[in-house]
Amino acid sequence: MTFSAAAPSTDRATRRRLPLVPAQRGMLQGHLTDPASPAWGVALLTELVGQVDDAVLAECLRRVSLEMPSLRLRFDVSTDPATQHVADLTDDVVVTTPLGAADDEAAAARHLAARLAAEPWDVPGGGPLVRNTLLVGRTGVWWVQRALHAVVDGYGAWLGRNRVVEHYNHLVSGTELPDRAYPSVEELVAQPRRSEDDQRDFWREYLQGAPERVSPADRAHHVVARPHRHDVVLPSSVRVGLGATVGNRVWTYPLIAAGAAYVARVSEEDSAVVGVPVLGRDTAIDLATTVNMMNVLPLRVPVEPDDDLASLTRRVIDSARSTRPHQQTPTETIFEAVPSAWRAGRLHGPTINVMPYDDDPVIPGVTVTTQALQRGPVYDLLLTIHPLADGSLAVECEAHREIYTLAQTRWHAERFATFVTRLAGATAPLAEVDHRLLQEIEAADELARPRTARVPDDAAPGATWGDVVSAEQLTVPGLDASVPRGYEIRDALGRTTGFTQVGELVAHTASGTVATGQLAALLPDGRVVAHGPVEGRRQVYGRHVEADGVAHDVALLDGVESCTATWAGRRLSLTVTLTPGASEADVARAAKQTAPSGTRPVVHLSALV
């Protein structure tokens, strides 16, 4: 396909103000909501070790910025809706900075790159929204490639990086420069798109009957910067095993299927709704632009009891194909179509981002490696998987730091890698494959070890919510203390839980299994955390809410002496005892705000006698 020439404009008055494409709108709105957050940017750090001519590399960056008009976009946010236009090339699009006399140049470059990636963007002021910094050292050059996500997505950053390398090889080594054409932004936005009514109707039907609980996290949260991160590597044998799943050597869909099975399991559901980034590029024009076209769409994946990885992979392929014509649907349109998702604050659970195109380019005599500093906003868990040169697969697990702890981030990364490794090349039903880590299995086995004898002096027949007790302290009301017993914590699917996952505590005796009626979670040190009675838990808009847990939080408020909570359906009744002199109105308001959204709390106040 031939695109029109994209000569840089020098007449500010004639620059056309163009509408944004759907994926741009959401990313720009996120940035405008929290302009100081670097979560709304993308950044790559490319290390070039060897004899690198930084002046030539800088010239290549300028040439590509002229070739690709989308790299010179600016937004006008003074209008509603915002518009975009192509600006002239400015001198500060490429900056060269010497690293100085650092002993460890790579560490110094990474530190400086992270600092650069956190710098804010001047959208209202009309400053550049794509920046390149060359950090020049004795052993090589580190190229920091960063952009506002609404201007460049991951695919766009990869497109620009590889074109720069093509120019560099042409100028330095004399290789032929591939003839490539890049469309104007006018051509991009002029393409016909599906109507929002058509998109809304599809997503309403597609998500009808989807599970309410889509994430292991018990709440959604607004985007914050600097997520927790833990990386693991899957060996090349796993990639080969995944490629053999349906006999076509394609490892991407089996990996998404394994991720969906993992999410369903840790969310305690029989199906998953995962987020899957899609290119959103349906035409030749779309494929030749750096502009953010990528969208994260919900992918609904039922997991049947007798599924193996192959059957689940075929179901994932069918589900993904059905969503393909609707890849450019704005997130807000799907929320409008699915009010229950809007009330829960999320369309999907963890995101599985498979990047099969993330290969490093080649420069003769130079080692080139690229790592992502920022991939954009993280709403829950983000599992990014991309191939490495040796055939292995890198797994980057990023987690929202207000929802997951650093330890939980590490556990999810390693559990996912463990689960995929056990599945790759196997034909066993998914239900028979354990996702837990070895140390979790060992801790659960220790908890299940038979214990006898006497009732300890500090026995915990019904520990208060949040209490931490040892296995020796546990007792079961009505069960003879002399009967040997061990314990297990089971999730809603009847499987043994991993660390910190809440489930029902059951006792094992010679005569069978005895339910304790109590919720609990196992800690890595083998102790148990009490989470109240089983009947005190409800699933509300995709999250588990424990009545005793809410009562515990309300009891910590100023002016509250104590609190109890019970359920009547989904309505949470809070009985609050006030401290002397406390304001009834202030306490009632604070208690209702503390109760999770959707619990419809009713507060009953009484004075301390």
Side-chain angles (χ1 to χ4, degrees), residues 31 34-43 114-121 146-149 223-227 373-377:
H31 167 78
D34 188 6
S37 173
W40 303 99
V42 292
R115 196 175 74 191
L116 290 170
E119 289 184 352
W121 296 100
R146 57 185 295 255
L148 191 68
H149 206 321
V223 172
V224 295
R226 294 175 292 278
L373 300 176
Q374 293 171 346
R375 293 198 186 275

Side-chain angles (χ1 to χ4, degrees), residues 458-475:
D458 56 350
T464 303
W465 189 93
D467 284 351
V468 180
V469 298
S470 67
E472 284 72 19
Q473 291 174 281
L474 294 171
T475 62

Side-chain angles (χ1 to χ4, degrees), residues 84 98 116 121 196 208 320 449 458 492 510 513 576 592:
Q84 59 185 332
L116 290 170
W121 296 100
E196 291 200 2
Q208 180 70 34
R449 180 177 58 83
D458 56 350
T513 300
V576 180
K592 288 185 176 183

Side-chain angles (χ1 to χ4, degrees), residues 180-480:
R180 305 190 191 281
Y182 299 98
S184 67
V185 180
E186 287 87 347
E187 289 172 297
L188 177 70
V189 301
Q191 296 182 107
R193 308 287 181 190
R194 286 180 177 269
S195 72
E196 291 200 2
D197 286 342
D198 179 41
Q199 294 168 337
R200 193 179 293 110
D201 291 344
F202 169 81
W203 289 107
R204 183 182 294 112
E205 182 178 351
Y206 179 79
L207 293 173
Q208 180 70 34
E212 187 174 282
R213 183 169 167 82
V214 294
S215 169
D218 271 340
R219 61 194 176 102
H221 201 284
H222 62 276
V223 172
V224 295
R226 294 175 292 278
H228 293 309
R229 177 168 165 173
H230 185 81
D231 295 354
V232 293
V233 174
L234 298 172
S236 57
S237 58
V238 171
R239 182 175 172 179
V240 171
L242 291 170
T245 301
V246 292
N248 60 3
R249 294 190 296 179
V250 175
W251 55 270
T252 52
Y253 279 115
L255 191 55
I256 294 172
Y262 175 80
V263 170
R265 183 168 298 185
V266 296
S267 301
E268 303 177 70
E269 294 286 354
D270 292 320
S271 63
V273 182
V274 295
V276 178
V278 293
L279 287 181
R281 289 170 160 83
D282 302 322
T283 68
I285 291 177
D286 294 336
L287 287 167
T289 60
T290 65
V291 164
N292 180 37
M293 306 288 289
M294 190 168 284
N295 209 355
V296 178
L297 295 180
L299 183 71
R300 185 178 176 185
V301 185
V303 183
E304 302 295 342
D306 56 349
D307 269 335
D308 58 14
L309 185 59
S311 59
L312 189 63
T313 297
R314 295 186 183 96
R315 195 172 301 124
V316 163
I317 293 171
D318 291 342
S319 188
R321 283 175 177 166
S322 71
T323 66
R324 192 164 294 154
H326 306 274
Q327 287 188 353
Q328 294 192 5
T329 307
T331 300
E332 58 269 24
T333 299
I334 307 179
F335 272 125
E336 290 172 7
V338 189
S340 60
W342 177 82
R343 289 193 295 268
R346 61 172 111 213
L347 287 169
H348 53 75
T351 297
I352 304 170
N353 182 18
V354 181
M355 302 178 66
Y357 58 82
D358 198 19
D359 294 323
D360 292 317
V362 175
I363 297 178
V366 178
T367 301
V368 182
T369 54
T370 299
Q371 68 177 93
L373 300 176
Q374 293 171 346
R375 293 198 186 275
V378 176
Y379 298 92
D380 190 280
L381 283 175
L382 171 60
L383 293 162
T384 301
I385 304 100
H386 59 86
L388 299 176
D390 62 359
S392 59
L393 295 172
V395 180
E396 302 167 5
C397 179
E398 294 176 286
H400 196 300
R401 64 171 52 245
E402 299 296 329
I403 302 175
Y404 300 92
T405 65
L406 181 58
Q408 289 170 330
T409 304
R410 175 174 59 82
W411 290 333
H412 277 297
E414 295 180 357
R415 284 174 187 155
F416 173 73
T418 297
F419 189 54
V420 173
T421 300
R422 291 170 181 164
L423 283 175
T427 57
L430 297 173
E432 297 178 8
V433 181
D434 202 328
H435 71 286
R436 292 175 300 158
L437 304 175
L438 179 60
Q439 57 266 42
E440 292 177 307
I441 296 172
E442 291 174 344
D445 289 344
E446 175 60 24
L447 181 64
R449 180 177 58 83
R451 290 168 171 81
T452 59
R454 59 183 186 82
V455 178
D457 295 335
D458 56 350
T464 303
W465 189 93
D467 284 351
V468 180
V469 298
S470 67
E472 284 72 19
Q473 291 174 281
L474 294 171
T475 62
V476 182
L479 186 64
D480 189 335

